[in-house]
């Protein structure tokens, strides 16, 4: 079924109103699933199943997941689950610059991104924008722009075109994704190369200011990884990130939130310290910023083969991390990097090979398995939400 048909189905059912009531949405999702000739699996639609977005909302949290245009178009069963469980969606890849770009400046394909944005709007879901700039997914022609002026112009146009297209629709934009890399050896801990090499650290100020001008209602996020664990490397990254926030504050660069990606390992990974994480989150909150957990998932590469044990370890990792993180009232959002193991970058082995299981078994990193059946990880997340202190919605 193409998108137009899909949206027509929705409007016939009255799903299309952006402010559609979330409870009604679940019922309508079931109606939609029937209309599409597929069913929402009974194990997840049972009345006694806690719905993650509701459990989160009761504590002032917004819960969401990744999605893609391909999934929206082709996997209606999965879409039913997303509509049931999530209050927010984020395009896993469809809004990345290099993914959208066809090889020349300004030649971008917006259709997959439009599908994701349209899906969020039509279904009353909040939309995260991921991302405007990321060193890892920048089109190759950008690297041929020799002068700071040319690069600045390209950044301005990228922001104005994408953030402008969805102006007023985006809850939060990851304006610069992963700007920190202490290993690059700079005193300020900023990632060298790509944007910084030619323009200098001011590229950050430019990107955030232009995004604010372009879409004044979107929250502007600095999204970073490897700040969750208790190692000297991650401590260096945390320190560099806090220093960046301090510089942004001094220079009046607009920023509203910090995104903590939280790609975790359930066992055999770096040591975790709840008190260390809490201290860091409190430091971020001290800047007057909110915090979003933006890409939460859990790899199981070192867990035993036994599936029940693996699932329990993954669930425990979710619970341990969320219990610590949600203690901080500035945390307002939890996004898992996928909802079902059917669609996960970990299962697709797009991670570093060190994250793959050596026994050849598929990883089980997300709250629902590949058959959309709730797993212990789902309970781990739901229980963490249930035990979290309430907070003002942010
Ligand atoms: O679409 C092509 C497909 O046509 C081709 O057959 C296949 C062969 O490998 O590749 C497919 O593209 C892959 C794409 O994901 C879509 O699945 C790329 O190889 C793969 O590198 C890409 O990985 C994505 C990665 O970012 C790099 O962009 C992951 O899906 C995505 O989950 C991951 O997400 C990032 C966040 O954006 C930022 N934080 C870290 C996180 C994990 O790396």
């Amino acid at each position: 079924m193409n998108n137009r048909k899909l949206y027509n189905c929705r409007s016939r059912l009255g799903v299309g109103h952006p402010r559609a009531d979330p409870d009604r949405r679940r019922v309508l999702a079931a109606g939609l699933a029937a209309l599409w000739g597929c069913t929402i699996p009974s194990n997840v639609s049972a009345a006694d199943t806690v719905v993650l977005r509701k459990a989160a909302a009761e504590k002032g949290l917004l819960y969401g997941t990744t999605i893609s245009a391909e999934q929206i178009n082709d996997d209606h069963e999965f879409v039913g689950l997303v509509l049931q469980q999530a209050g927010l969606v984020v395009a896993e890849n469809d809004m990345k610059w290099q993914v959208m770009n066809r090889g020349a400046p300004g030649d971008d394909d917006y259709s997959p991104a439009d599908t994701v944005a349209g899906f969020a709007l039509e279904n009353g879901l909040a939309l995260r924008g991921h991302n405007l700039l990321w060193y890892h997914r920048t089109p190759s022609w950008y690297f041929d722009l020799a002068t700071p002026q040319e690069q600045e112009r390209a950044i301005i146009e990228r922001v104005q075109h994408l953030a402008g297209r969805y102006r007023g629709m985006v809850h939060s934009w990851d304006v610069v994704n992963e700007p920190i890399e202490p290993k690059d050896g700079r005193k300020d801990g900023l990632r060298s190369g790509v944007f910084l090499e030619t323009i200098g650290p001011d590229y950050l100020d430019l990107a955030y200011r232009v995004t604010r001008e372009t879409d004044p209602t979107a929250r502007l996020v600095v999204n970073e990884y490897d700040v969750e664990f208790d190692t000297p490397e991650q401590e260096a990254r945390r320190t560099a990130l806090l220093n960046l926030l301090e510089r942004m504050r001094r220079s009046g660069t607009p920023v509203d939130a910090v995104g903590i990606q939280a790609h975790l390992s359930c066992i055999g990974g770096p040591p975790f310290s709840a008190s260390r994480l809490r201290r860091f989150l409190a430091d971020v909150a001290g800047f007057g910023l909110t915090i979003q957990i933006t890409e939460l998932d859990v790899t199981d590469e070192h867990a035993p083969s036994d599936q029940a044990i693996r699932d329990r370890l993954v669930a425990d990792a979710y619970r341990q991390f969320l219990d610590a993180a949600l203690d901080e009232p500035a945390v307002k959002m939890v996004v898992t990097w996928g909802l079902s193991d059917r669609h996960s970058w970990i299962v697709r082995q797009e991670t570093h090979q060190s994250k793959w299981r050596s026994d050849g078994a598929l990883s089980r990193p997300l709250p629902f398995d590949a058959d959309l059946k709730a797993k212990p990880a789902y309970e781990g997340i739901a229980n963490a939400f249930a035990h979290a202190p309430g907070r003002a919605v942010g």
Side-chain angles (χ1 to χ4, degrees), residues 92-93 96 130-131 134 136-137 177-178 223 261 263 295 337 345 348 350:
E92 181 173 3
N93 289 304
K96 291 172 185 170
H130 176 79
N131 48 54
W134 186 20
H136 187 50
R137 283 289 177 261
N177 195 41
E178 303 171 5
N223 197 36
Q261 293 188 5
H263 294 292
E295 303 185 13
W337 206 237
W345 72 300
R348 293 194 300 268
E350 290 163 355

Side-chain angles (χ1 to χ4, degrees), residues 181-237:
E181 186 43 278
K183 284 190 205 133
D184 283 355
R186 290 176 52 95
K187 248 178 124 179
D188 56 15
L190 290 179
R191 184 180 293 282
S192 56
V194 200
F195 311 110
L196 193 132
E197 204 161 65
T198 308
I199 304 177
D202 282 354
Y203 89 88
L204 286 150
D205 186 65
L206 175 73
Y208 281 84
R209 281 187 197 279
V210 177
T211 310
R212 177 69 93 224
E213 283 162 21
T214 306
D215 186 353
T217 60
R219 293 156 182 83
L220 310 188
V221 185
V222 179
N223 197 36
E224 196 49 85
Y225 74 109
D226 274 3
V227 290
E228 303 83 11
F229 289 101
D230 191 15
T231 66
E233 294 76 22
Q234 298 210 6
E235 183 63 16
R237 199 180 287 275

Side-chain angles (χ1 to χ4, degrees), residues 66-76 78-79 92 343:
T66 55
I67 200 159
S68 71
E70 197 178 320
Q71 291 154 20
I72 292 168
N73 289 330
D74 298 341
D75 191 348
H76 303 149
F78 175 71
V79 166
E92 181 173 3
H343 300 297

